[in-house]
Amino acid sequence: MTIRLFKTMAFMVILAALAIGTTAPVTARDGTSKHVTRRMALMTSQKAAMDVLTSMMAGRTYFDRDRARAARRQLIRSTGTIRKHFKKPQLDPRSHARPLIWHAWKDFKTRADTAETAARNLSTRSLPALRRTLPSLMQSCLSCHETYRNAPNSFTTH
């Protein structure tokens, strides 16, 4: 692998980690609506699966085909339900969803479909295959987050 390709992949991994961010633990008693709680849980599960794959891609962990396949299955399931989880226009103080989602619903659905397609096209057969196919999934996530997600306040302590 060339140095330039490695730097590009490393940049993409860092960019994805910054865009996806972290969320506070989600509980049923935290005052959020059940729909927002489910959306937050969906995004948290996607982040966990992406963390597994990006760690392998970046060489922070060894490539494990079984773990990569499990993460891919999780991403296929979760990206396939994005539209369902965001269909009801509900906002909550802990949610990072922008109201623009429901004003540009057709575009949002298209981006969700793109993410699902990218998850299905993800190859976990080998590390080179993962490195070749994961950037398109990362780009679809970033594209949607840049448009439809408010950046979380990293200084919030609750």
Side-chain angles (χ1 to χ4, degrees):
M1 174 168 24
T2 67
I3 296 287
R4 186 174 182 194
L5 180 61
F6 181 76
K7 286 181 179 180
T8 302
M9 282 194 227
F11 175 74
M12 291 288 289
V13 168
I14 292 168
L15 191 60
L18 291 173
I20 293 171
T22 59
T23 58
V26 178
T27 64
R29 300 181 314 252
D30 62 10
T32 61
S33 75
K34 67 180 180 180
H35 300 291
V36 173
T37 300
R38 288 179 187 151
R39 281 194 331 229
M40 292 169 69
L42 173 76
M43 291 297 148
T44 301
S45 74
Q46 288 180 342
K47 182 184 181 316
M50 288 294 285
D51 285 348
V52 168
L53 296 174
T54 56
S55 290
M56 288 180 195
M57 184 176 104
R60 289 188 302 272
T61 60
Y62 289 105
F63 178 77
D64 179 334
R65 189 174 180 181
D66 292 335
R67 285 185 65 218
R69 281 181 172 172
R72 177 183 181 267
R73 282 191 302 270
Q74 173 59 31
L75 287 166
I76 290 170
R77 276 192 306 269
S78 61
T79 56
T81 64
I82 290 172
R83 290 175 309 285
K84 175 184 136 190
H85 281 83
F86 282 88
K87 190 154 184 110
K88 294 187 180 200
Q90 295 188 9
L91 293 176
D92 183 277
R94 291 189 57 209
S95 173
H96 301 296
R98 289 183 179 164
L100 179 61
I101 290 171
W102 299 284
H103 296 291
W105 183 247
K106 186 175 180 181
D107 180 63
F108 182 80
K109 285 190 336 182
T110 300
R111 290 176 195 241
D113 291 342
T114 300
E116 183 180 8
T117 300
R120 289 186 183 284
N121 291 334
L122 191 61
S123 178
T124 56
R125 293 182 181 163
S126 65
L127 183 56
L130 178 65
R131 286 180 172 157
R132 189 177 57 254
T133 57
L134 187 57
S136 66
L137 177 58
M138 293 167 60
Q139 182 56 44
S140 68
C141 293
L142 288 172
S143 169
C144 196
H145 282 193
E146 286 173 350
T147 305
Y148 296 112
R149 180 177 188 251
N150 288 320
N153 183 352
S154 61
F155 296 106
T156 302
T157 59
H158 59 282

